[in-house]
């Protein structure tokens, strides 16, 4: 199989414009006749469903939560990037493009990233017009901050709740279309399979989470915007419900899955407190602007942090990266924390934590100023840990936060199954091997508002609309598949709960395919996951029936897919014999312990294809060309 | 057809919505509050002299247009106030068909949660009060003389169960006014982080003063400060 | 620590439901409330009993999916805290806790502690938006917004739609939820063209959904995990009253051009 990105040739500045003009349009009178299925209602899905509804398509939108407003995009705190250059500090579309390609450690597709930077400016305009209450200056203009180590102020924010406000903007636009009858919404409905007929995506099979009813929904195109797969790790900053089932079942129907080993670890999360822990809470990266990260020099030093004298503290980021200090990118800060803890310097009851200390900043700026900047975060930390960060240093530890990998898509955001489009975190697209802060919101909204409305029209205009009945073999097959999985889970009738399996799987993947990986560990992990998965199908206990609100059953289906995806992540990590971005192979590092890329051999997208249960997946490579930003070694020293 | 055309707003007239009904309550509440103040000021003349209050009563009756105008306005206000509160009460009942096994209301005032109790008690009081002093049909304790308001009041309150009922009713009125008075501003759309707390304090003071003023009359009678002439 | 829970169990919307008693030993003070329920559920599953259904998702206090009454207080009644961020250190050994779902006709129970809050979505669909088709927006800085207005809009926009205001309100009113959206958009210049329509449409829809009236009691404000103020209700009342009295028939005449 040959992968063609469909990215236009010619100067990159013009490529999106040229491409858009080349796209076929759907006659306004015919739009209503095209039914589009959108799965997921976060920034990407919500924006897509609303925009497509506005255009006049017959849109059906699905989400597993009780309302489209709950999608996990809502939890993003920091902000959204846009190359507005409102601050006259030298920002430009080209610079945002450059930073994103470099930040992604040269593993993304240049044309996609350039387009992302271009439409970033439209996103801000759109959101302002929707009533998103972005922070303002006294003059009434939009405020910006610099974020995640960027050299320019291009991050727009709405207090610490940017994701929430952007999502509510998209949600309100979506609800408007629902009210107008342009979009039909199916909350508490989970997509469990894609219907592929004659090689094209023709619909989905869903299960109602309230009564278990399995339904077939046909459509002329299917859009997946179902988020990332960070919950493979069990403990992550994702919402409990975040899952990979939609993309995984699409993978099993023939869509290629790209770069699953690219996972992002966020350095500033609240450490794990105990076995019962169900999720990890992120503290905004902005804390690193004023907080200093340190550990005791003496391994195993259990003294109270206040009584450890200055001379016995190791401000290891400032020591190792004098020019960026505490503001090094996420992957570097995370690995450094892990290295300190592995060497026995970790703090807190579990030894898995480092201090993030604000005492210097409080001395310099005053408590009032710090409260003004981070008050909400300090309160949240106090609420969760019962410790007051104004008085004792915060304890932080890295946690899985975002997954750059996902279903492979071309420049039109279409997967290898024609008619199946993938948006937002669910696709592999724009972030390469590492995502920069405040870029996830940008990508989700770019895909949903400004890209899919153009590219899906081209597909629909070129494809004959067909009517199907539920008796179509592809539909019957998909329904049978869904029913079989459910029955298998319910009939296992074993001893262990779904959560206990998930927790164990998470520990394996975190240990061997987390912040640092090596070949031996990855091989071991594949074996362990295999074994655990077999045990799962024999020994899992899912009570109740399909025909009811059954949260254990929901979870069981998702965990079953996490097993398989976790294995593919390890396989991909094993295949990629280099270190890049969020993927750090211990065998491939510089003498100083930094990631060592191998551009000669691995400058490609690894797209995996399902070859049947129990058979190794196929690997297809999409070579990456860098015509504008020349690959270089990232350096933050 | 473009899907961006807006749907027409459907019809639910102003008073058919809960906010509309609350506005009706607030506006009628203002009128009733005004009446309570005026009524109190009139009544307090009893402390000056019997002639003064009897003359005041006579003056009111001498301008039937004003008197009846006021009475009709008040009657309409009371009816609307009751109608709205009853309609809202039914709405509230329907809005929570299954009650909580445990419910803790800690942040609201007692006055605010008991409007549906203080209201009917005050109403019962008003009815009795009319029968007692306006029509004189239920007037235990002494003879009723339409032209001697002073004596009617004194005889009326010398009968202690009546006085007690009046005092209890005035405490209810105090609660009712305390919440009603500041809440009226909120209902009609005025709220301010600086002024609203002051309004609440003002409402409390006004409610207490009104109740205290009203209660002072039966207390003065029972204590023997005011005697029949 | 050891807790005794009384939990509302109801198999589905048709079931009558009743309180069940559970003993939960071995509760760690660092657990979140939902983690405590996770532990109880794991034990129930191991015993072959149906686990307690409750809604939750982000577990960081922002998605608005979780929520239940704990001893008659929405989300447990701690300032600015959703139940997912409530930690067990606030409770002590031997405590008896009553867990009930949000109670309102407009929030029918789906199972146990999970309720259906689609009525909130329908209120937003009726008018809680600014009509701005994708791609038609002017530059973000074209219309300056007074900082104070942007801040007040943000205060109101912080609503997570969890429904605690309805649950805590003795009247089951949705005034705080509706007021928050009306106030958010009313504070912004972009929200002005539809301001009247929005207030009329949302409040009418609120009534159709069966939410009762606000009587300015203030329980909602105290229960709101995002600390939204009663002021937003005054704002929506003002907007509604003004809009209702100035409403006039639309003048647009249809037909092709």
């Amino acid at each position: 199989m040959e992968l063609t990105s469909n990215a236009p040739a010619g100067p990159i500045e013009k490529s999106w414009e040229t491409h858009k003009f080349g796209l076929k349009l759907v006659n306004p009178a015919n739009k209503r006749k095209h039914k589009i299925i959108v799965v997921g209602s976060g920034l990407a899905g919500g924006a897509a469903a609303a925009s497509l509804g506005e255009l006049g398509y017959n849109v059906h939108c699905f989400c597993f939560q009780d309302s489209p407003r709950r999608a996990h995009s809502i939890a993003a705190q920091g902000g959204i990037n846009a190359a507005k250059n409102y601050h006259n500090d030298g920002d430009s579309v080209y610079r945002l493009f450059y930073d994103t390609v470099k930040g992604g450690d040269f593993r993304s597709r240049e044309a996609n990233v350039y387009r992302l930077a271009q439409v970033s400016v439209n996103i801000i305009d759109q959101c302002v017009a929707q009533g998103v209450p972005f922070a303002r200056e006294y003059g009434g203009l939009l405020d910006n901050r610099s974020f995640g180590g960027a050299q320019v102020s291009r991050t727009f924010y709405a207090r610490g709740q940017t994701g929430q406000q952007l999502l509510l903007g998209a949600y309100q636009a979506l609800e408007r279309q629902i009210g107008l009858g342009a979009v039909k919404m199916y909350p508490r409905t989970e997509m469990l399979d894609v219907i592929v007929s004659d090689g094209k995506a023709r619909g989905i099979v869903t299960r109602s989470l309230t009564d278990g009813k399995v339904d077939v929904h046909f459509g002329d195109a299917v859009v997946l915007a179902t988020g990332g797969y960070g919950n493979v790790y069990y403990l992550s900053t994702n919402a409990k419900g975040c899952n990979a089932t939609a993309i995984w079942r699409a993978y099993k129907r023939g869509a290629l899955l790209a770069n699953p080993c690219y996972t992002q670890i966020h350095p500033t999360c609240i450490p794990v407190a105990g076995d019962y822990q169900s999720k990890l809470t992120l503290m905004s990266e902005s804390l690193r602007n004023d907080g200093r990260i340190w550990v005791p020099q003496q391994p195993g030093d259990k003294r109270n942090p206040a009584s450890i004298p200055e001379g016995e503290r190791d401000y290891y980021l400032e020591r190792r990266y004098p020019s960026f200090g505490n503001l090094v990118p996420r992957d570097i800060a995370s690995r450094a924390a892990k290295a300190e803890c592995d060497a026995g310097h970790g703090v807190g009851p579990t030894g898995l934590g480092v201090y993030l200390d604000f005492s210097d900043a409080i001395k310099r700026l005053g408590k009032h100023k710090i409260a003004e900047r981070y008050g909400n975060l300090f309160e949240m930390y106090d609420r969760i840990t019962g410790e007051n960060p104004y008085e004792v240093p915060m304890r932080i530890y890295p946690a899985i936060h975002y997954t750059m990998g996902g279903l492979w898509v071309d420049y039109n955001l279409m997967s290898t199954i024609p008619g199946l489009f993938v948006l937002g975190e669910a696709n592999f697209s724009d972030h390469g091997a590492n995502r920069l802060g405040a870029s996830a919101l940008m990508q989700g909204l770019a895909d949903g508002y400004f890209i899919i409305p153009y590219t899906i029209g081209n597909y629909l205009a070129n494809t004959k609309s067909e009517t199907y009945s539920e008796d179509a073999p592809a539909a019957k097959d998909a329904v049978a598949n869904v029913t079989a999985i459910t029955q298998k889970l319910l009939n296992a009738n074993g001893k262990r709960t779904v959560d206990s399996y998930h927790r164990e799987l998470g520990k394996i993947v975190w240990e061997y395919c987390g912040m640092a990986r090596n070949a031996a560990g990855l091989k071991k992990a594949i074996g362990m996951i295999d074994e655990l998965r077999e045990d799962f199908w024999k020994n899992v206990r899912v009570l109740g029936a399909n025909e009811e609100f059954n949260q254990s059953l929901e979870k069981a289906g998702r965990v079953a897919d996490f097993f398989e995806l976790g294995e593919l992540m390890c396989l991909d990590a094993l295949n990629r014999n280099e270190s890049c971005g969020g993927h750090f192979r211990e065998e491939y590092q510089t003498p100083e312990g930094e990631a060592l890329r191998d551009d000669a051999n691995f400058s490609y997208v690894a797209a995996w294809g399902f070859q049947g249960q129990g058979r190794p997946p196929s690997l297809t490579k999409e070579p990456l060309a860098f015509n504008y930003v020349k690959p270089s070694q990232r350096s933050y020293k | 057809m473009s899907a961006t055309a807006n749907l027409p707003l459907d019809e639910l007239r102003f008073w058919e919505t809960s906010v509309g009904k609350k506005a009706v309550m607030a506006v009628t509440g203002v009128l009733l509050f005004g009446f309570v103040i005026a009524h109190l000021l009139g009544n307090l003349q009893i402390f000056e002299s019997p002639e003064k209050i009897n003359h005041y009563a006579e003056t009111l009756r001498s301008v039937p247009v004003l008197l009846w105008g006021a009475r009709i306005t008040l009657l309409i206000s009371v009816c609307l106030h009751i109608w709205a509160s009853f309609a809202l009460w039914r709405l509230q009942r329907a809005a929570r068909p299954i009650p909580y096994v445990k419910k803790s209301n800690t942040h609201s005032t007692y006055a605010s949660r008991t409007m549906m109790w203080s209201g009917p008690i005050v109403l019962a009081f008003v009815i009795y009060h009319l029968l007692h002093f306006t029509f004189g049909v239920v007037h235990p304790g002494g003879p009723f003389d339409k032209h001697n308001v002073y004596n009617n009041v004194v005889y009326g309150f010398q009968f202690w169960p009546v006085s007690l009922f009046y005092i209890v009713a005035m405490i209810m009125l105090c609660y009712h006014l305390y919440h009603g008075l500041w809440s009226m501003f909120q209902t009609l759309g005025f709220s301010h982080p600086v002024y609203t707390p002051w309004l609440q304090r003002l409402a409390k003071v006004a409610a207490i003063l009104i109740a205290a003023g009203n209660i002072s009359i039966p207390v003065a009678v029972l204590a023997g400060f005011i005697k029949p002439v | 620590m050891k807790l005794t829970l009384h939990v509302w169990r109801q198999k589905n919307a048709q079931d009558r439901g009743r309180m069940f008693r559970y003993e939960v030993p071995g509760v760690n003070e660092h657990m979140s409330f939902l983690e405590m329920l996770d532990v109880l559920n794991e034990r129930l599953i191991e015993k072959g009993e149906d686990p307690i259904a409750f809604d939750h998702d982000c577990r960081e206090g922002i998605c608005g999916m979780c929520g239940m009454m704990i001893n008659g207080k929405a989300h447990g009644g701690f300032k600015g805290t959703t139940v997912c961020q409530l930690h067990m250190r606030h409770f002590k050994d031997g405590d008896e806790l009553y867990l009930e779902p949000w109670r309102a006709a407009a929030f029918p129970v789906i199972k146990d502690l999970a309720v259906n809050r689609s009525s909130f979505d329908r209120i937003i669909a009726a008018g809680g938006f600014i009509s701005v088709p994708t791609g038609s927006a002017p530059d973000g800085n074209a219309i300056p917004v007074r900082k104070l207005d942007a801040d007040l809009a943000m205060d109101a926009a912080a609503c997570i739609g969890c429904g605690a205001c309805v649950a805590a309100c003795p009247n089951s009113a949705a005034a705080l939820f509706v007021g928050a959206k009306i106030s958010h958009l009313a504070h912004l210049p972009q929200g002005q063209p539809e301001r009247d329509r929005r207030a009329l449409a949302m409040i009418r829809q609120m009534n159709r959904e069966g939410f009762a009236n606000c009587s300015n009691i203030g329980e909602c404000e105290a229960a709101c995990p995002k600390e939204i103020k009663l002021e937003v209700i005054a704002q929506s009342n003002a907007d509604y009253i003004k809009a209702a009295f100035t409403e006039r028939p639309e003048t647009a005449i249809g037909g092709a051009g």
Side-chain angles (χ1 to χ4, degrees), chain A residues 20-161:
Chain A
K20 270 199 289 191
F21 187 71
L23 295 174
K24 272 183 133 183
L25 301 174
V26 177
N27 182 322
N30 285 336
K31 280 187 177 141
R32 194 69 212 154
K33 294 179 195 154
H34 289 290
K35 182 169 154 191
I36 299 174
I37 286 169
V38 179
V39 187
S41 64
L43 287 179
S51 303
L52 295 171
E54 280 160 9
L55 286 173
Y57 293 110
N58 175 13
V59 179
H60 289 230
C61 183
F62 299 79
C63 71
F64 74 80
Q65 299 93 337
D66 74 329
S67 159
R69 68 181 292 153
R70 314 267 186 232
H72 197 57
S73 310
I74 206 160
Q77 298 169 352
I80 176 166
N81 285 333
K84 282 282 197 187
N85 193 29
Y86 280 158
H87 280 235
N88 200 28
D89 57 359
D91 198 10
S92 63
V93 167
Y94 197 87
R95 188 175 295 280
L96 177 53
F97 157 68
Y98 176 90
D99 287 353
T100 307
V101 171
K102 181 181 172 217
D105 221 358
F106 307 95
R107 289 292 174 265
S108 44
R109 198 187 283 148
E110 274 190 332
N112 282 52
V113 178
Y114 196 89
R115 174 177 64 184
L116 176 66
Q118 275 178 313
V119 301
S120 69
V121 297
N122 305 103
I123 296 171
I124 298 303
D125 300 341
Q126 181 67 26
C127 294
V128 166
Q130 285 172 344
V132 171
F134 282 118
R136 299 265 169 178
E137 290 168 348
Y138 279 101
L141 302 183
L142 291 160
D143 194 11
N144 296 135
R145 58 185 172 198
S146 86
F147 193 79
Q151 312 270 22
V152 290
S153 263
R154 65 158 77 99
T155 304
F156 294 77
Y157 65 101
R159 275 192 206 148
Q161 293 128 277

Side-chain angles (χ1 to χ4, degrees), chain A residues 205-219:
Chain A
V205 176
T206 60
R207 176 177 177 270
S208 155
L209 299 183
T210 44
D211 60 14
K213 198 165 174 296
V214 173
D215 282 311
V216 172
H217 300 269
F218 290 109

Side-chain angles (χ1 to χ4, degrees), chain A residues 131 171 188 240 279 384, chain C residues 55 57 60 89 121 139 184:
Chain A
Y171 159 73
R188 291 196 196 266
K240 291 299 285 176
K279 82 152 266 152
I384 290 169
Chain C
D55 269 329
D57 200 23
E60 47 187 283
R89 71 181 75 89
D121 291 326
D139 186 83
H184 159 207

Side-chain angles (χ1 to χ4, degrees), chain A residues 357-621:
Chain A
D357 196 337
F358 287 87
S359 51
D360 282 351
I362 292 173
K363 255 181 251 155
R364 189 177 66 223
L365 302 162
K367 191 178 162 183
H368 174 75
K369 193 78 196 166
I370 293 297
E372 194 185 293
R373 285 187 192 166
Y374 311 111
N376 58 335
L377 296 170
F378 278 35
E379 266 174 43
M380 183 162 87
Y381 183 84
D382 193 349
R383 209 176 291 139
I384 290 169
T385 62
E387 291 175 357
N388 179 354
Y390 293 104
E391 278 150 24
V392 292
M394 281 183 182
R395 285 176 294 112
I396 54 164
Y397 198 66
I400 284 289
H401 174 55
Y402 188 86
T403 54
M404 282 73 69
L407 289 180
W408 184 91
V409 289
D410 66 0
Y411 191 67
N412 293 320
L413 302 182
M414 190 161 82
S415 71
T416 48
I417 300 176
L420 181 72
F421 293 80
V422 191
L423 317 184
E425 194 181 346
N427 72 25
F428 87 105
S429 85
D430 305 347
H431 306 296
N434 177 52
R435 181 176 65 75
L436 290 179
S439 286
L441 302 182
M442 173 171 71
Q443 186 223 336
L445 289 179
D447 289 0
Y449 283 135
F450 296 109
I451 299 170
I452 192 73
Y454 293 94
T455 59
I456 208 169
N458 182 59
Y459 171 78
L460 294 171
N462 284 314
T463 311
K464 212 168 89 229
S465 196
E466 283 165 70
T467 44
Y468 281 92
S469 83
E470 302 216 353
D471 299 326
K476 280 173 102 170
D477 176 48
V479 171
N481 176 40
V482 167
T483 319
I485 294 172
T486 306
Q487 281 315 317
K488 204 172 163 196
L489 290 167
L490 287 169
N491 293 342
N493 205 13
K495 294 236 170 349
R496 279 182 68 180
T497 62
V498 177
D499 276 350
S500 77
Y501 280 107
H502 194 181
R503 212 175 280 128
E504 195 175 333
L505 169 70
K507 276 192 183 139
I508 297 171
V509 189
W510 176 245
E511 183 63 30
Y512 300 106
C513 195
M515 273 188 281
R517 298 126 185 214
N518 61 56
L522 289 164
K523 281 181 195 146
K524 189 173 167 196
I526 292 171
M528 289 169 81
I529 295 172
D530 235 6
E531 228 170 83
L532 189 65
R533 186 185 56 216
E534 261 178 48
D535 187 61
F536 171 83
W537 284 108
K538 277 196 232 120
N539 209 11
V540 70
R541 169 176 280 189
V542 181
L543 298 173
N546 173 56
E547 292 74 22
E548 61 176 338
F549 188 69
N550 189 338
Q551 292 175 312
S552 307
L553 181 60
E554 291 167 28
K555 274 194 277 194
R558 294 166 192 167
V559 172
D561 292 335
F562 284 145
F563 277 117
E564 299 176 8
L565 176 53
E567 207 172 317
L568 186 67
M569 283 164 64
C570 293
L571 204 63
D572 185 41
L574 192 59
N575 169 68
R576 192 165 281 278
N577 289 322
E578 62 160 354
S579 294
C580 60
H583 168 66
F584 188 78
R585 281 281 298 271
E586 286 164 348
E587 305 95 314
Y588 308 99
Q589 50 181 311
T590 64
E592 299 90 44
E594 303 302 337
L596 188 63
R597 264 196 347 258
D598 179 356
D599 291 334
N601 294 307
F602 289 96
S603 189
Y604 65 77
V605 174
W608 301 89
F610 183 68
Q611 298 297 316
Q613 206 74 43
R615 297 177 56 191
S618 63
L619 171 62
T620 314
K621 299 174 181 177

Side-chain angles (χ1 to χ4, degrees), chain A residues 133 159, chain B residues 193, chain C residues 145-158 180 183-188 228-229 231-232 235:
Chain A
R159 275 192 206 148
Chain C
V145 181
R146 196 165 67 134
K147 184 174 186 305
L148 179 66
D149 286 327
D151 289 345
L152 290 172
M154 182 62 227
D155 284 346
S183 174
H184 159 207
L185 297 175
H187 276 295
L188 297 170
I228 290 169
K229 301 278 173 276
E231 200 180 337
V232 301
Q235 169 99 62

